[in-house]
Amino acid sequence: MTNRDEALQAIEQSATALLQRANRAHLYGELLRAGGLDLDDAVYPVLSVVADLGSARVAEVAAAAGIGPTTGSRHLTQLERLDLVRRGIDPQDARAAVVELTPAGKRVIAKMRRARVGLFAEMVEDWSDEELSQFGAHFQRFVLALAERRR
């Protein structure tokens, strides 16, 4: 096996571990708690997507979160009850609803994102600045390549 083959195998194993539902769920739960929320971890991607998209249709939020529209709507209803998101009428199509973060939702997202940065900082605290910089650049390049495949 060549060095390249070994490196590709290590990437495959690491990416698989990163994408495993149990690992994502643990991270999502930890971030929700950091935001002061006691919710099912499946709600995290929906809240995060609303923050990223700004004002968006329910179907767009669900698609971006990788879930069906019914599940997306159910999660959004849960977030709406907590005053983290609000629904409104789509100005371009009155039949459609759009959702966006409320001021409370923006505060929760800010807390969760600070917690996420802190969590990652803990994970790499023993890395040198150079290692961290290289990893950041390479990881970003890898994720961008992954996103390009989706298009």
Side-chain angles (χ1 to χ4, degrees):
M1 187 178 281
T2 68
N3 286 344
R4 186 171 184 86
D5 290 335
E6 289 174 5
L8 288 170
Q9 187 174 25
I11 290 168
E12 183 275 331
Q13 291 170 348
S14 298
T16 298
L18 181 65
L19 297 172
Q20 281 179 336
R21 181 169 175 75
N23 287 333
R24 288 191 331 261
H26 175 74
L27 177 62
Y28 295 164
E30 198 169 328
L31 294 173
L32 285 167
R33 285 188 300 282
L37 301 174
D38 185 22
L39 294 172
D40 184 288
D41 54 22
V43 176
Y44 174 82
V46 175
L47 184 58
S48 185
V49 162
V50 173
D52 291 342
L53 295 179
S55 182
R57 289 181 177 198
V58 173
E60 293 170 325
V61 171
I67 57 178
T70 303
T71 302
S73 184
R74 189 171 58 248
H75 290 327
L76 287 166
T77 296
Q78 198 175 5
L79 293 168
E80 196 173 16
R81 284 189 196 124
L82 294 170
D83 191 37
L84 300 176
V85 302
R86 68 174 150 246
R87 293 184 203 232
I89 303 296
D90 186 337
Q92 297 170 1
D93 182 355
R95 299 168 296 172
V98 293
V99 292
E100 62 186 7
L101 290 178
T102 62
K106 289 176 184 177
R107 286 190 298 276
V108 165
I109 283 291
K111 275 188 195 175
M112 289 191 309
R113 294 203 168 152
R114 281 191 303 273
R116 188 169 58 190
V117 168
L119 177 69
F120 294 157
E122 284 177 30
M123 292 179 190
V124 297
E125 68 186 352
D126 62 338
W127 294 20
S128 72
D129 289 347
E130 183 179 342
E131 288 172 318
L132 186 58
S133 179
Q134 287 178 356
F135 176 76
H138 292 301
F139 192 58
Q140 184 176 39
R141 185 175 166 196
F142 179 79
V143 171
L144 288 172
L146 183 62
E148 281 298 315
R149 293 188 63 83
R150 196 177 64 210
R151 291 175 221 243

Short mmCIF file of all heavy atoms in Angstrom, two decimals, residues 36-87:
data_model
loop_
_atom_site.label_atom_id
_atom_site.label_comp_id
_atom_site.label_asym_id
_atom_site.label_seq_id
_atom_site.Cartn_x
_atom_site.Cartn_y
_atom_site.Cartn_z
N GLY A 36 -28.72 26.79 25.97
CA GLY A 36 -29.77 26.82 26.99
C GLY A 36 -31.04 26.10 26.58
O GLY A 36 -32.10 26.36 27.15
N LEU A 37 -30.94 25.21 25.59
CA LEU A 37 -32.12 24.51 25.09
C LEU A 37 -32.09 23.03 25.46
O LEU A 37 -31.06 22.37 25.30
CB LEU A 37 -32.20 24.63 23.57
CG LEU A 37 -32.27 26.05 23.00
CD1 LEU A 37 -32.19 26.02 21.49
CD2 LEU A 37 -33.53 26.74 23.47
N ASP A 38 -33.21 22.54 25.91
CA ASP A 38 -33.37 21.12 26.20
C ASP A 38 -34.28 20.54 25.12
O ASP A 38 -35.48 20.37 25.34
CB ASP A 38 -33.96 20.92 27.60
CG ASP A 38 -34.03 19.46 27.99
OD1 ASP A 38 -33.28 18.65 27.42
OD2 ASP A 38 -34.86 19.13 28.86
N LEU A 39 -33.69 20.31 23.95
CA LEU A 39 -34.45 19.83 22.80
C LEU A 39 -33.80 18.58 22.22
O LEU A 39 -32.62 18.32 22.44
CB LEU A 39 -34.47 20.90 21.69
CG LEU A 39 -35.21 22.19 21.98
CD1 LEU A 39 -34.95 23.20 20.87
CD2 LEU A 39 -36.70 21.92 22.10
N ASP A 40 -34.57 17.86 21.43
CA ASP A 40 -34.04 16.72 20.69
C ASP A 40 -32.93 17.22 19.77
O ASP A 40 -33.06 18.27 19.14
CB ASP A 40 -35.17 16.09 19.87
CG ASP A 40 -34.72 14.84 19.16
OD1 ASP A 40 -33.94 14.97 18.18
OD2 ASP A 40 -35.14 13.74 19.55
N ASP A 41 -31.84 16.47 19.70
CA ASP A 41 -30.69 16.91 18.90
C ASP A 41 -31.02 17.08 17.42
O ASP A 41 -30.32 17.81 16.70
CB ASP A 41 -29.50 15.97 19.08
CG ASP A 41 -29.84 14.51 18.81
OD1 ASP A 41 -30.82 14.24 18.11
OD2 ASP A 41 -29.11 13.65 19.31
N ALA A 42 -32.08 16.46 16.93
CA ALA A 42 -32.46 16.58 15.52
C ALA A 42 -32.90 17.99 15.17
O ALA A 42 -32.94 18.36 13.99
CB ALA A 42 -33.56 15.58 15.20
N VAL A 43 -33.22 18.81 16.16
CA VAL A 43 -33.69 20.17 15.92
C VAL A 43 -32.51 21.11 15.60
O VAL A 43 -32.68 22.11 14.91
CB VAL A 43 -34.50 20.68 17.13
CG1 VAL A 43 -34.91 22.12 16.97
CG2 VAL A 43 -35.72 19.80 17.34
N TYR A 44 -31.33 20.76 16.06
CA TYR A 44 -30.17 21.64 15.87
C TYR A 44 -29.94 22.02 14.41
O TYR A 44 -29.78 23.21 14.11
CB TYR A 44 -28.90 21.03 16.47
CG TYR A 44 -27.68 21.86 16.17
CD1 TYR A 44 -27.38 22.97 16.93
CD2 TYR A 44 -26.86 21.56 15.09
CE1 TYR A 44 -26.28 23.77 16.63
CE2 TYR A 44 -25.77 22.34 14.79
CZ TYR A 44 -25.48 23.44 15.56
OH TYR A 44 -24.41 24.23 15.25
N PRO A 45 -29.88 21.05 13.48
CA PRO A 45 -29.61 21.45 12.10
C PRO A 45 -30.66 22.41 11.54
O PRO A 45 -30.33 23.30 10.75
CB PRO A 45 -29.61 20.14 11.31
CG PRO A 45 -29.43 19.07 12.32
CD PRO A 45 -29.98 19.60 13.61
N VAL A 46 -31.90 22.26 11.95
CA VAL A 46 -32.97 23.14 11.46
C VAL A 46 -32.73 24.56 11.96
O VAL A 46 -32.78 25.52 11.19
CB VAL A 46 -34.36 22.61 11.88
CG1 VAL A 46 -35.46 23.57 11.48
CG2 VAL A 46 -34.60 21.23 11.26
N LEU A 47 -32.46 24.71 13.23
CA LEU A 47 -32.19 26.03 13.79
C LEU A 47 -30.95 26.66 13.14
O LEU A 47 -30.95 27.84 12.77
CB LEU A 47 -32.01 25.93 15.31
CG LEU A 47 -31.81 27.23 16.07
CD1 LEU A 47 -32.97 28.19 15.85
CD2 LEU A 47 -31.64 26.93 17.55
N SER A 48 -29.92 25.86 12.96
CA SER A 48 -28.69 26.35 12.35
C SER A 48 -28.92 26.78 10.90
O SER A 48 -28.40 27.81 10.46
CB SER A 48 -27.63 25.25 12.42
OG SER A 48 -26.40 25.71 11.93
N VAL A 49 -29.70 26.01 10.16
CA VAL A 49 -29.99 26.34 8.76
C VAL A 49 -30.79 27.64 8.67
O VAL A 49 -30.51 28.48 7.81
CB VAL A 49 -30.73 25.17 8.06
CG1 VAL A 49 -31.41 25.63 6.79
CG2 VAL A 49 -29.77 24.04 7.77
N VAL A 50 -31.76 27.81 9.55
CA VAL A 50 -32.53 29.08 9.54
C VAL A 50 -31.58 30.25 9.77
O VAL A 50 -31.68 31.28 9.11
CB VAL A 50 -33.67 29.06 10.58
CG1 VAL A 50 -34.33 30.43 10.69
CG2 VAL A 50 -34.71 28.00 10.23
N ALA A 51 -30.64 30.08 10.68
CA ALA A 51 -29.66 31.14 10.95
C ALA A 51 -28.82 31.42 9.70
O ALA A 51 -28.55 32.57 9.38
CB ALA A 51 -28.76 30.75 12.12
N ASP A 52 -28.42 30.38 9.01
CA ASP A 52 -27.58 30.54 7.83
C ASP A 52 -28.33 31.14 6.64
O ASP A 52 -27.79 31.95 5.90
CB ASP A 52 -26.97 29.20 7.40
CG ASP A 52 -25.95 28.68 8.39
OD1 ASP A 52 -25.44 29.47 9.22
OD2 ASP A 52 -25.66 27.47 8.35
N LEU A 53 -29.59 30.72 6.47
CA LEU A 53 -30.35 31.17 5.30
C LEU A 53 -31.01 32.53 5.49
O LEU A 53 -31.34 33.19 4.52
CB LEU A 53 -31.43 30.14 4.94
CG LEU A 53 -30.95 28.77 4.47
CD1 LEU A 53 -32.15 27.87 4.19
CD2 LEU A 53 -30.08 28.90 3.23
N GLY A 54 -31.24 32.90 6.73
CA GLY A 54 -32.01 34.12 6.97
C GLY A 54 -33.48 33.80 6.76
O GLY A 54 -33.96 32.78 7.23
N SER A 55 -34.18 34.62 6.03
CA SER A 55 -35.59 34.37 5.73
C SER A 55 -35.67 33.36 4.60
O SER A 55 -35.13 33.59 3.52
CB SER A 55 -36.26 35.69 5.34
OG SER A 55 -37.62 35.48 5.09
N ALA A 56 -36.34 32.22 4.85
CA ALA A 56 -36.41 31.16 3.85
C ALA A 56 -37.72 30.40 3.98
O ALA A 56 -38.32 30.36 5.05
CB ALA A 56 -35.24 30.20 4.01
N ARG A 57 -38.13 29.80 2.89
CA ARG A 57 -39.33 28.95 2.91
C ARG A 57 -39.05 27.69 3.72
O ARG A 57 -37.92 27.22 3.80
CB ARG A 57 -39.72 28.55 1.49
CG ARG A 57 -40.28 29.68 0.68
CD ARG A 57 -40.67 29.20 -0.68
NE ARG A 57 -41.27 30.27 -1.44
CZ ARG A 57 -42.00 30.09 -2.51
NH1 ARG A 57 -42.21 28.87 -2.98
NH2 ARG A 57 -42.51 31.12 -3.15
N VAL A 58 -40.12 27.14 4.26
CA VAL A 58 -40.02 25.93 5.07
C VAL A 58 -39.37 24.81 4.27
O VAL A 58 -38.48 24.11 4.77
CB VAL A 58 -41.41 25.51 5.59
CG1 VAL A 58 -41.35 24.17 6.29
CG2 VAL A 58 -41.97 26.58 6.52
N ALA A 59 -39.77 24.65 3.02
CA ALA A 59 -39.21 23.58 2.18
C ALA A 59 -37.71 23.79 1.95
O ALA A 59 -36.95 22.81 1.91
CB ALA A 59 -39.94 23.53 0.84
N GLU A 60 -37.27 25.04 1.82
CA GLU A 60 -35.84 25.32 1.65
C GLU A 60 -35.06 24.97 2.91
O GLU A 60 -33.95 24.43 2.83
CB GLU A 60 -35.62 26.79 1.30
CG GLU A 60 -36.15 27.21 -0.05
CD GLU A 60 -36.14 28.72 -0.26
OE1 GLU A 60 -36.37 29.47 0.72
OE2 GLU A 60 -35.88 29.13 -1.40
N VAL A 61 -35.64 25.29 4.05
CA VAL A 61 -34.98 24.97 5.32
C VAL A 61 -34.84 23.45 5.46
O VAL A 61 -33.77 22.94 5.79
CB VAL A 61 -35.77 25.55 6.52
CG1 VAL A 61 -35.21 25.04 7.84
CG2 VAL A 61 -35.75 27.07 6.47
N ALA A 62 -35.92 22.73 5.19
CA ALA A 62 -35.90 21.27 5.31
C ALA A 62 -34.86 20.68 4.36
O ALA A 62 -34.07 19.81 4.76
CB ALA A 62 -37.28 20.70 5.03
N ALA A 63 -34.86 21.13 3.11
CA ALA A 63 -33.90 20.60 2.13
C ALA A 63 -32.46 20.87 2.57
O ALA A 63 -31.60 19.99 2.50
CB ALA A 63 -34.16 21.20 0.75
N ALA A 64 -32.19 22.08 3.04
CA ALA A 64 -30.83 22.42 3.48
C ALA A 64 -30.41 21.63 4.72
O ALA A 64 -29.23 21.34 4.91
CB ALA A 64 -30.72 23.92 3.76
N ALA A 65 -31.39 21.26 5.56
CA ALA A 65 -31.10 20.46 6.76
C ALA A 65 -31.04 18.97 6.44
O ALA A 65 -30.69 18.16 7.30
CB ALA A 65 -32.14 20.74 7.84
N GLY A 66 -31.41 18.60 5.21
CA GLY A 66 -31.37 17.19 4.80
C GLY A 66 -32.49 16.36 5.36
O GLY A 66 -32.32 15.17 5.62
N ILE A 67 -33.66 16.99 5.56
CA ILE A 67 -34.83 16.27 6.10
C ILE A 67 -36.04 16.56 5.21
O ILE A 67 -35.99 17.47 4.38
CB ILE A 67 -35.13 16.68 7.56
CG1 ILE A 67 -35.34 18.19 7.67
CG2 ILE A 67 -34.01 16.21 8.48
CD1 ILE A 67 -35.68 18.68 9.06
N GLY A 68 -37.09 15.82 5.41
CA GLY A 68 -38.30 16.03 4.65
C GLY A 68 -39.07 17.25 5.12
O GLY A 68 -38.87 17.72 6.24
N PRO A 69 -39.94 17.78 4.25
CA PRO A 69 -40.69 18.98 4.62
C PRO A 69 -41.60 18.79 5.83
O PRO A 69 -41.75 19.72 6.64
CB PRO A 69 -41.50 19.31 3.37
CG PRO A 69 -41.26 18.25 2.39
CD PRO A 69 -40.19 17.34 2.90
N THR A 70 -42.18 17.62 6.00
CA THR A 70 -43.05 17.38 7.16
C THR A 70 -42.24 17.43 8.46
O THR A 70 -42.65 18.06 9.43
CB THR A 70 -43.77 16.02 7.02
OG1 THR A 70 -44.51 16.02 5.80
CG2 THR A 70 -44.71 15.76 8.17
N THR A 71 -41.11 16.76 8.46
CA THR A 71 -40.23 16.78 9.64
C THR A 71 -39.72 18.19 9.88
O THR A 71 -39.69 18.66 11.02
CB THR A 71 -39.05 15.80 9.45
OG1 THR A 71 -39.59 14.50 9.22
CG2 THR A 71 -38.14 15.79 10.66
N GLY A 72 -39.33 18.87 8.81
CA GLY A 72 -38.87 20.25 8.94
C GLY A 72 -39.92 21.14 9.56
O GLY A 72 -39.64 21.94 10.45
N SER A 73 -41.15 21.00 9.09
CA SER A 73 -42.25 21.81 9.62
C SER A 73 -42.49 21.50 11.10
O SER A 73 -42.72 22.41 11.91
CB SER A 73 -43.52 21.55 8.81
OG SER A 73 -44.55 22.40 9.25
N ARG A 74 -42.40 20.23 11.46
CA ARG A 74 -42.59 19.83 12.87
C ARG A 74 -41.51 20.45 13.76
O ARG A 74 -41.79 20.99 14.83
CB ARG A 74 -42.59 18.31 12.98
CG ARG A 74 -43.00 17.80 14.34
CD ARG A 74 -43.20 16.29 14.39
NE ARG A 74 -42.03 15.55 14.01
CZ ARG A 74 -41.92 14.80 12.90
NH1 ARG A 74 -42.92 14.69 12.06
NH2 ARG A 74 -40.80 14.15 12.62
N HIS A 75 -40.25 20.40 13.30
CA HIS A 75 -39.16 21.00 14.08
C HIS A 75 -39.32 22.51 14.16
O HIS A 75 -39.07 23.11 15.22
CB HIS A 75 -37.81 20.65 13.47
CG HIS A 75 -37.41 19.22 13.61
ND1 HIS A 75 -37.76 18.42 14.67
CD2 HIS A 75 -36.68 18.42 12.79
CE1 HIS A 75 -37.26 17.22 14.51
NE2 HIS A 75 -36.60 17.19 13.37
N LEU A 76 -39.74 23.13 13.07
CA LEU A 76 -39.93 24.58 13.08
C LEU A 76 -41.06 24.98 14.02
O LEU A 76 -40.97 26.02 14.69
CB LEU A 76 -40.19 25.09 11.66
CG LEU A 76 -38.95 25.09 10.76
CD1 LEU A 76 -39.34 25.27 9.31
CD2 LEU A 76 -37.96 26.16 11.21
N THR A 77 -42.11 24.18 14.09
CA THR A 77 -43.20 24.45 15.02
C THR A 77 -42.68 24.42 16.45
O THR A 77 -43.02 25.28 17.27
CB THR A 77 -44.34 23.44 14.83
OG1 THR A 77 -44.88 23.61 13.51
CG2 THR A 77 -45.44 23.62 15.86
N GLN A 78 -41.83 23.45 16.75
CA GLN A 78 -41.22 23.35 18.08
C GLN A 78 -40.39 24.60 18.38
O GLN A 78 -40.48 25.18 19.48
CB GLN A 78 -40.35 22.10 18.11
CG GLN A 78 -39.98 21.59 19.45
CD GLN A 78 -39.20 20.27 19.34
OE1 GLN A 78 -38.87 19.78 18.26
NE2 GLN A 78 -38.90 19.71 20.48
N LEU A 79 -39.62 25.05 17.42
CA LEU A 79 -38.78 26.24 17.60
C LEU A 79 -39.62 27.51 17.68
O LEU A 79 -39.28 28.43 18.42
CB LEU A 79 -37.77 26.34 16.45
CG LEU A 79 -36.71 25.24 16.42
CD1 LEU A 79 -35.95 25.27 15.10
CD2 LEU A 79 -35.77 25.37 17.61
N GLU A 80 -40.73 27.51 16.97
CA GLU A 80 -41.65 28.66 17.02
C GLU A 80 -42.28 28.78 18.40
O GLU A 80 -42.41 29.88 18.94
CB GLU A 80 -42.72 28.47 15.95
CG GLU A 80 -43.50 29.69 15.60
CD GLU A 80 -44.42 29.46 14.41
OE1 GLU A 80 -44.69 28.30 14.04
OE2 GLU A 80 -44.88 30.47 13.86
N ARG A 81 -42.66 27.65 18.99
CA ARG A 81 -43.25 27.66 20.34
C ARG A 81 -42.28 28.22 21.37
O ARG A 81 -42.69 28.78 22.38
CB ARG A 81 -43.66 26.25 20.74
CG ARG A 81 -44.92 25.79 20.09
CD ARG A 81 -45.40 24.47 20.70
NE ARG A 81 -46.38 23.86 19.84
CZ ARG A 81 -46.29 22.63 19.32
NH1 ARG A 81 -45.27 21.86 19.62
NH2 ARG A 81 -47.23 22.19 18.52
N LEU A 82 -41.00 28.05 21.12
CA LEU A 82 -39.97 28.56 22.03
C LEU A 82 -39.56 29.99 21.68
O LEU A 82 -38.63 30.54 22.27
CB LEU A 82 -38.73 27.65 21.98
CG LEU A 82 -38.94 26.24 22.51
CD1 LEU A 82 -37.73 25.37 22.19
CD2 LEU A 82 -39.22 26.27 24.00
N ASP A 83 -40.23 30.58 20.71
CA ASP A 83 -39.96 31.94 20.24
C ASP A 83 -38.55 32.10 19.69
O ASP A 83 -37.92 33.14 19.83
CB ASP A 83 -40.23 32.97 21.36
CG ASP A 83 -40.20 34.41 20.83
OD1 ASP A 83 -40.68 34.63 19.70
OD2 ASP A 83 -39.67 35.29 21.53
N LEU A 84 -38.04 31.05 19.05
CA LEU A 84 -36.72 31.11 18.43
C LEU A 84 -36.82 31.42 16.94
O LEU A 84 -35.88 31.97 16.36
CB LEU A 84 -35.96 29.81 18.66
CG LEU A 84 -35.74 29.45 20.12
CD1 LEU A 84 -35.06 28.09 20.24
CD2 LEU A 84 -34.92 30.52 20.82
N VAL A 85 -37.92 31.02 16.32
CA VAL A 85 -38.19 31.36 14.92
C VAL A 85 -39.60 31.89 14.83
O VAL A 85 -40.44 31.66 15.70
CB VAL A 85 -38.02 30.15 13.96
CG1 VAL A 85 -36.63 29.56 14.04
CG2 VAL A 85 -39.07 29.09 14.21
N ARG A 86 -39.85 32.63 13.75
CA ARG A 86 -41.22 33.07 13.48
C ARG A 86 -41.51 32.80 12.01
O ARG A 86 -40.61 32.84 11.18
CB ARG A 86 -41.42 34.53 13.84
CG ARG A 86 -40.67 35.50 12.97
CD ARG A 86 -41.02 36.96 13.28
NE ARG A 86 -39.86 37.78 13.00
CZ ARG A 86 -39.17 38.44 13.91
NH1 ARG A 86 -39.52 38.42 15.16
NH2 ARG A 86 -38.12 39.13 13.56
N ARG A 87 -42.78 32.52 11.77
CA ARG A 87 -43.22 32.31 10.39
C ARG A 87 -43.93 33.56 9.90
O ARG A 87 -44.57 34.27 10.66
CB ARG A 87 -44.20 31.15 10.31
CG ARG A 87 -43.57 29.82 10.62
CD ARG A 87 -44.58 28.69 10.43
NE ARG A 87 -44.19 27.55 11.21
CZ ARG A 87 -44.07 26.32 10.72
NH1 ARG A 87 -44.34 26.10 9.47
NH2 ARG A 87 -43.71 25.34 11.50
#
